Amino acid sequence: MTGSAPQASPTERPMRHFTPPQGWMNDPNGLVYHDGEYHLFYQYHPDSLVWGPMHWGHAVSRDLCHWQHLPVALAPDENGMCFSGSAVVDRHDASGLFNGSEGLMAFYTAHRFMDDGEEHYEQEQHLAWSRDNGRSWQKYAGNPVIAPPGFRDFRDPKVIYHEPSRRWVMALACGQHIRFYTSANLLDWQLASEFGDGQGCHTDGPWECPDLFELPVEGDQAETSRWILVVGVGIDHEGPQDTLGSFTQYFIGHFDGERFHNDYPDEPLLLMDQGRDFYAVQSFSDVPDRRLAIAWLNNWQYAGHTPEAGWRGAMTLPRALYLAATDQGVRLHQRFAPELTRSVLPLEVALPDAPLGEGQHLLATPEADLVRGELTLELSADSRLALSLQQGGQQQLHLTAGDDITKVAYRREGHSGVARFDQHFPGERLAGELDGRRIHLQWWVDRGSVEMLINGERRQLSVTLASFVAPHHHSITMEVHSGSAEIHDFRLDAG
């Protein structure tokens, strides 16, 4: 970036996004709902602002908006660090650890370095359990529940209960594959299958943080349900960097309790989010009526070099996941969790009474740091425009309409004086195409981020971007470069 690029400075804490009390945070772990509480665990280094010996931090919420920090749940020991994993409710005491009652089970990867340096390590799967709704944890005396397999990257266990086979299933990231293990008691695990060869996107980095769940297909009676396998694609910190950095892909298909069958084997990449800062996403276990997910709002290309203020790292807002039948097949879509709107108040906005032609247009000046926005745009066939959502031009969403499709791109600027950040944070990228020229945009702006869900007639794009501006200093503007845009259903809420 040139010297005229905007400075990226430390922000105040977000008003709605989860951040650690201090220190470093990355992947969400062990997301589980139990006894009226949402549990959020996370990769945590409390004593530093960069990645280091990994703990499991812990917080709980009853409304997905306000989080209570609890003591560290898992800490490194002689077996190594506590890497990412998942948690479930053992409702019927399949493990025999709860004296016939129910309790929480956390599965994580124990990561230990060998004697000859940090590039030589061993990973195995461990278990911890809690009888008091996560307030205290006991590491299982029989660890490891799955021993090291003889290769290096073997991590991030995601455990689910597969009702048709009446067994527990664990998905594990193994190099650039996913292995599936099964168990009747959550303690003894058997390898069932492997997925990944010739499937999806493979880079120099490892596959990480798998998730596995089933969802109904909405809006199409011919479709019933599909299984979704979510996989994070990391970066090789020593090798050449892909332009995306770390990103999240997913597969749609069928799962029979042992094997995952991809319905779209010729699709090289299905992205869960087309932005730069949506990684290590995990969905909550044991939520009875929906599939909720949270991601780490960062990218490994620059995560350790972002501006900080005594803490570093944030999570995305919780989102509800669903499947939609589109003209390209079944696809995974998202909605912001409705609980998020309970403590925001509507703002008065003026709806333009005519299409907006070429020029710069001021849409609103919220003067707030936490803003939820929603509007529908009707674009002319030749229109090109740029939206700035309280970013002062430092981030813009670009829409280019053709006859039947609308192309969506985004641009981000900013520098901090740190080479790794300045090299990878700014840039411009095509997010994708939407069907039609009637575009529905929902967004949340908070200190540190912009999250957007952009819908066409049937398709959706999700764009999540870290931000280092103060939103209340900026307005919502639209610059029409050509053609025209008519605004419908414009709404703003502020917290």
Side-chain angles (χ1 to χ4, degrees):
M1 297 296 293
T2 66
S4 61
Q7 178 75 28
S9 302
T11 61
E12 297 179 72
R13 284 190 184 271
M15 298 178 68
R16 189 56 53 86
H17 291 70
F18 180 83
T19 56
Q22 75 277 329
W24 165 274
M25 179 181 75
N26 56 287
D27 306 355
N29 297 152
L31 305 187
V32 63
Y33 180 76
H34 184 239
D35 198 22
E37 290 183 324
Y38 296 93
H39 291 260
L40 167 60
F41 302 89
Y42 51 93
Q43 290 288 276
Y44 187 36
H45 187 191
D47 303 319
S48 176
L49 291 166
V50 295
W51 186 93
M54 285 292 96
H55 303 59
W56 272 35
H58 187 195
V60 294
S61 174
R62 291 188 174 271
D63 61 4
L64 294 173
C65 296
H66 305 92
W67 295 90
Q68 175 191 357
H69 292 289
L70 295 179
V72 167
L74 302 174
D77 58 17
E78 66 276 6
N79 292 307
M81 305 183 197
C82 301
F83 271 21
S84 293
S86 59
V88 296
V89 181
D90 183 6
R91 296 198 180 278
H92 305 292
D93 196 19
S95 64
L97 295 172
F98 301 108
N99 299 324
S101 299
E102 68 180 28
L104 293 178
M105 308 272 281
F107 295 84
Y108 64 98
T109 297
H111 174 102
R112 57 179 170 268
F113 295 116
M114 311 306 284
D115 293 336
D116 47 355
E118 290 191 359
E119 291 306 308
H120 296 88
Y121 51 80
E122 193 171 58
Q123 296 181 337
E124 60 191 19
Q125 310 319 311
H126 282 217
L127 161 67
W129 51 278
S130 172
R131 291 178 176 171
D132 56 3
N133 201 21
R135 270 53 182 183
S136 63
W137 290 86
Q138 300 291 324
K139 293 179 178 178
Y140 178 51
N143 283 330
V145 293
I146 304 181
F151 53 85
R152 194 170 71 163
D153 293 316
F154 178 66
R155 58 179 181 262
D156 308 339
K158 176 67 178 191
V159 174
I160 68 165
Y161 185 71
H162 186 254
E163 184 68 40
S165 64
R166 298 181 181 275
R167 289 186 300 184
W168 298 89
V169 174
M170 179 190 292
L172 268 175
C174 303
Q176 294 194 7
H177 296 80
I178 301 298
R179 281 187 173 185
F180 297 101
Y181 291 77
T182 62
S183 175
N185 62 6
L186 291 163
L187 305 177
D188 304 301
W189 296 88
Q190 297 79 41
L191 177 62
S193 68
E194 188 171 277
F195 172 85
D197 190 24
Q199 306 282 337
C201 182
H202 296 260
T203 69
D204 292 333
W207 283 12
E208 298 181 312
C209 303
D211 201 352
L212 180 68
F213 49 87
E214 185 180 19
L215 286 175
V217 180
E218 295 188 4
D220 192 331
Q221 297 302 315
E223 302 284 358
T224 54
S225 67
R226 292 290 188 275
W227 282 84
I228 300 92
L229 175 63
V230 179
V231 176
V233 181
I235 66 172
D236 180 354
H237 293 273
E238 303 301 321
Q241 303 303 317
D242 180 82
T243 56
L244 276 176
S246 50
F247 59 91
T248 302
Q249 68 176 332
Y250 70 93
F251 304 90
I252 293 178
H254 294 78
F255 182 71
D256 61 10
E258 293 188 353
R259 292 176 175 80
F260 185 86
H261 306 271
N262 185 9
D263 282 359
Y264 302 97
D266 297 327
E267 188 70 49
L269 176 62
L270 293 177
L271 279 174
M272 195 168 172
D273 188 278
Q274 286 75 29
R276 296 295 311 282
D277 299 292
F278 189 93
Y279 193 62
V281 61
Q282 287 289 291
S283 65
F284 280 88
S285 172
D286 292 271
V287 177
D289 57 347
R290 55 186 170 161
R291 180 62 54 173
L292 285 170
I294 290 176
W296 180 42
L297 209 159
N298 219 326
N299 191 304
W300 275 120
Q301 280 189 331
Y302 44 76
H305 306 280
T306 57
E308 52 78 19
W311 52 271
R312 181 177 268 151
M315 299 300 180
T316 66
L317 296 173
R319 305 183 188 184
L321 309 181
Y322 68 101
L323 292 180
T326 77
D327 56 352
Q328 298 178 315
V330 177
R331 293 293 184 264
L332 183 61
H333 287 187
Q334 306 173 44
R335 299 183 180 101
F336 294 117
E339 289 92 335
L340 299 171
T341 64
R342 290 177 182 170
S343 57
V344 294
L345 297 174
L347 300 175
E348 290 189 12
V349 293
L351 190 67
D353 55 7
L356 301 178
E358 293 185 21
Q360 183 86 9
H361 304 278
L362 175 64
L363 302 185
T365 304
E367 296 182 350
D369 280 324
L370 177 68
V371 175
R372 173 194 177 272
E374 185 172 2
L375 60 77
T376 300
L377 290 172
E378 192 79 39
L379 306 178
S380 66
D382 58 347
S383 61
R384 293 187 301 111
L385 61 87
L387 276 165
S388 177
L389 305 174
Q390 296 179 251
Q391 298 299 297
Q394 296 188 38
Q395 296 199 36
Q396 289 185 334
L397 182 70
H398 294 262
L399 302 177
T400 303
D403 291 332
D404 302 311
I405 64 168
T406 298
K407 294 183 179 179
V408 180
Y410 57 86
R411 177 180 60 80
R412 179 170 67 180
E413 297 181 358
H415 74 95
S416 68
V418 178
R420 185 71 175 265
F421 181 88
D422 294 352
Q423 177 185 358
H424 293 293
F425 181 81
E428 186 170 345
R429 177 173 173 78
L430 178 67
E433 296 180 346
L434 295 173
D435 43 335
R437 289 183 281 112
R438 187 177 179 88
I439 306 301
H440 183 242
L441 171 64
Q442 300 176 71
W443 72 92
W444 280 89
V445 168
D446 198 354
R447 299 164 183 158
S449 64
V450 180
E451 299 188 47
M452 296 172 278
L453 299 178
I454 314 161
N455 285 74
E457 293 177 5
R458 300 190 81 182
R459 288 183 246 166
Q460 182 190 76
L461 297 173
S462 171
V463 177
T464 303
L465 296 166
S467 169
F468 296 96
V469 300
H472 71 274
H473 288 164
H474 301 291
S475 300
I476 300 171
T477 62
M478 182 168 69
E479 184 176 4
V480 180
H481 299 291
S482 65
S484 64
E486 188 170 357
I487 298 179
H488 305 278
D489 309 319
F490 186 25
R491 173 173 178 164
L492 293 177
D493 303 297

